[in-house]
Amino acid sequence: MNLKKMTELDIKGKKVLIRTDLNVPIKNGVIQSDARIISALPTIELAIQKKAKVIVMSHLGRPEEGCYTKKYSLLPIFEYLKKKLKRNKIYFSNDINKIKINEGEVLLLENVRFNVGELKNDENLSKKYANLCDIFVMDAFGSAHRKQSSTYGIGKFANIACAGPLLISEINTLKKALKNPQRPMVAIVGGAKVSTKFNVLNKLAQISDTIIVGGGIANTFLAIDYNIGKSLHEPEFISKAKKLRDKYNNIIIPIDSRVGKNFCHTEKCIIKLPCEIEKNEEIMDFGDKTIKKIIKILQKSKTILWNGPVGVFEFPNFRKGTEMIAKTIAQNNGFSIAGGGDTISVIDMFKIKSKISYISTGGGAFLKFIEGKKLPAIKMLEKKF
């Protein structure tokens, strides 16, 4: 993989446009997790140190294109960056046509998804982005799987397009873990939909010693043999899940579950075997026997790849499975990689960030990379090498 690197370029006095990933959870204007911003900061600070004219852009959420929505504004992130970069001048703008900036200064652009054409990789918008800078830096691994104007299209028209330090770090760490992992290797894959993760499960089954499935994914596997009431699952993918389960013998499916009758924050849980679940009940977490079994597996592992919670961790009574897995991973002395927005939320909730070997900023990109897919943004950078 041949990529031009930002760290190898002379960027002094140049307009450097950094596409980073500042897509963080914000509630009532308050940032709930700053993990992705913290990961993005070193690249921005390096560009400042090298006396570049620094322009930063990112998406946030999924607003309607062409419509400003306060909920999706990057203004709270701008206020956060002002505090972090307090010795430097930092500005905020929603105008991608007029930009004036001096060496060592930072300009944060408003949410790129407010711009018409962003999602469709519009050529005219890509040209506008490219005209803003002398050098384009792709540093948003979490968006590297998206073929959009700010992640891919801009590279076609930018004079120089290169990879930022965070993107390089993500690629190298994942390649190392997947190519020659220390054994035993355990993969944990949670989430609502198995349909979007068949390819990654198939890949992980080939390279991992054990795969632990949770959430709606595990429920679809359970539905092969059991009536699982109103539990979240995908009935149309049960036969495909069965083929995957029968092909590999290293996929761990829950042997008991925490269930409830109502999907709400105060719902009480009952632990049941899969064969005991009634029509008006739904699975929302692992049961104690499953947790005990998984803890033993994780304690012996040397490499852990973790993507997604295994239950509805937002509800106190259905948090135990995710909590025990998170804390067991934190106590493990092997190499652990965690990725995905919900996974980062779990890490923040249980304050184990310092105990995870590597936290990826990617969710979808993380999974696509594991699958072995070439990410569009990386393809673009290879062409510009």
Side-chain angles (χ1 to χ4, degrees):
M1 191 180 293
N2 293 318
L3 305 177
K4 196 170 287 179
K5 299 175 184 176
M6 173 188 151
T7 51
E8 297 171 347
L9 300 176
D10 178 11
I11 62 174
K12 185 179 186 298
K14 305 280 178 63
K15 281 186 179 178
V16 175
L17 176 57
I18 304 171
R19 174 50 162 106
T20 191
D21 188 356
L22 306 175
N23 184 33
V24 297
I26 298 175
K27 187 175 181 180
N28 299 323
V30 180
I31 294 168
Q32 304 298 300
S33 170
D34 63 357
R36 281 181 171 153
I37 309 177
I38 295 296
S39 295
L41 271 171
T43 300
I44 297 169
E45 289 170 335
L46 178 62
I48 293 169
Q49 289 166 18
K50 291 196 170 188
K51 297 184 178 178
K53 300 171 183 179
V54 188
I55 306 163
V56 179
M57 65 178 178
S58 174
H59 77 282
L60 177 67
R62 297 182 178 182
E64 183 181 345
E65 279 192 4
C67 298
Y68 171 84
T69 311
K70 186 178 179 181
K71 176 183 175 182
Y72 296 113
S73 173
L74 292 185
L75 189 58
I77 295 169
F78 169 67
E79 297 297 337
Y80 179 100
L81 289 175
K82 271 204 303 188
K83 292 174 184 176
K84 287 288 182 180
L85 304 171
K86 54 188 175 183
R87 293 183 183 177
N88 303 93
K89 289 184 178 180
I90 176 167
Y91 309 98
F92 184 58
S93 175
N94 61 357
D95 189 346
I96 59 171
N97 297 304
K98 297 177 182 178
I99 285 184
K100 290 183 180 179
I101 188 169
N102 298 315
E103 289 182 12
E105 294 180 347
V106 179
L107 172 67
L108 175 66
L109 296 175
E110 182 57 284
N111 191 343
V112 293
R113 289 190 177 171
F114 288 160
N115 301 327
V116 176
E118 166 64 20
L119 299 180
K120 292 182 179 179
N121 190 33
D122 180 76
E123 194 165 279
N124 290 324
L125 182 59
S126 298
K127 285 178 181 177
K128 282 185 178 181
Y129 290 151
N131 288 336
L132 296 177
C133 64
D134 303 302
I135 298 168
F136 170 63
V137 180
M138 178 57 186
D139 206 39
F141 178 76
S143 298
H145 62 309
R146 303 189 188 280
K147 199 171 183 178
Q148 297 172 355
S149 286
S150 69
T151 60
Y152 180 88
I154 182 175
K156 185 177 177 181
F157 305 103
N159 291 327
I160 298 172
C162 63
L166 178 60
L167 184 68
I168 294 294
S169 175
E170 295 265 17
I171 292 168
N172 289 343
T173 304
L174 287 173
K175 280 173 71 176
K176 176 186 172 184
L178 296 172
K179 191 175 181 180
N180 190 28
Q182 284 193 297
R183 303 283 177 185
M185 175 181 176
V186 178
I188 302 160
V189 184
K193 294 184 177 181
V194 72
S195 57
T196 60
K197 296 186 178 179
F198 271 119
N199 291 338
V200 75
L201 286 170
N202 190 63
K203 177 72 174 181
L204 287 171
Q206 295 171 41
I207 64 172
S208 304
D209 296 286
T210 306
I211 298 180
I212 296 161
V213 291
I217 295 173
N219 294 345
T220 302
F221 278 97
L222 283 169
I224 297 167
D225 300 310
Y226 304 100
N227 184 333
I228 56 169
K230 58 179 184 178
S231 303
L232 175 68
H233 71 294
E234 295 176 282
E236 66 273 31
F237 289 99
I238 291 172
S239 60
K240 200 169 180 180
K242 185 179 186 301
K243 287 179 183 177
L244 195 66
R245 182 200 67 179
D246 293 347
K247 184 178 179 181
Y248 302 103
N249 61 2
N250 59 348
I251 300 175
I252 302 295
I253 299 164
I255 53 177
D256 64 343
S257 304
R258 280 177 162 76
V259 304
K261 293 180 180 179
N262 301 294
F263 190 82
C264 69
H265 196 267
T266 56
E267 180 68 4
K268 292 182 180 179
C269 73
I270 305 168
I271 299 177
K272 288 192 170 186
L273 299 174
C275 62
E276 299 171 335
I277 296 168
E278 297 176 14
K279 287 182 180 180
N280 64 340
E281 293 176 329
E282 58 184 308
I283 299 167
M284 289 191 274
D285 192 15
F286 286 166
D288 288 344
K289 289 180 181 177
T290 303
I291 293 170
K292 188 176 179 180
K293 180 180 179 179
I294 287 168
I295 286 173
K296 285 182 180 179
I297 293 169
L298 291 174
Q299 286 173 337
K300 295 175 182 177
S301 63
K302 296 290 180 65
T303 302
I304 301 172
L305 192 150
W306 176 23
N307 177 258
V310 298
V312 189
F313 71 97
E314 298 91 342
F315 297 171
N317 294 328
F318 299 95
R319 184 176 291 163
K320 189 174 180 181
T322 299
E323 180 178 4
M324 295 307 296
I325 284 173
K327 290 181 177 178
T328 305
I329 294 171
Q331 291 164 5
N332 185 285
N333 292 321
F335 185 75
S336 55
I337 301 178
D342 284 341
T343 316
I344 291 172
S345 295
V346 171
I347 289 168
D348 286 342
M349 177 179 280
F350 300 118
K351 297 179 173 56
I352 57 170
K353 185 178 178 181
S354 63
K355 305 288 180 65
I356 306 298
S357 307
Y358 191 84
I359 299 173
S360 174
T361 56
F366 180 78
L367 294 173
K368 290 289 182 187
F369 195 93
I370 291 167
E371 263 182 62
K373 296 280 182 71
K374 182 78 72 160
L375 306 183
I378 295 174
K379 278 186 185 178
M380 175 273 292
L381 291 172
E382 287 179 328
K383 286 180 183 177
K384 296 290 285 191
F385 180 70

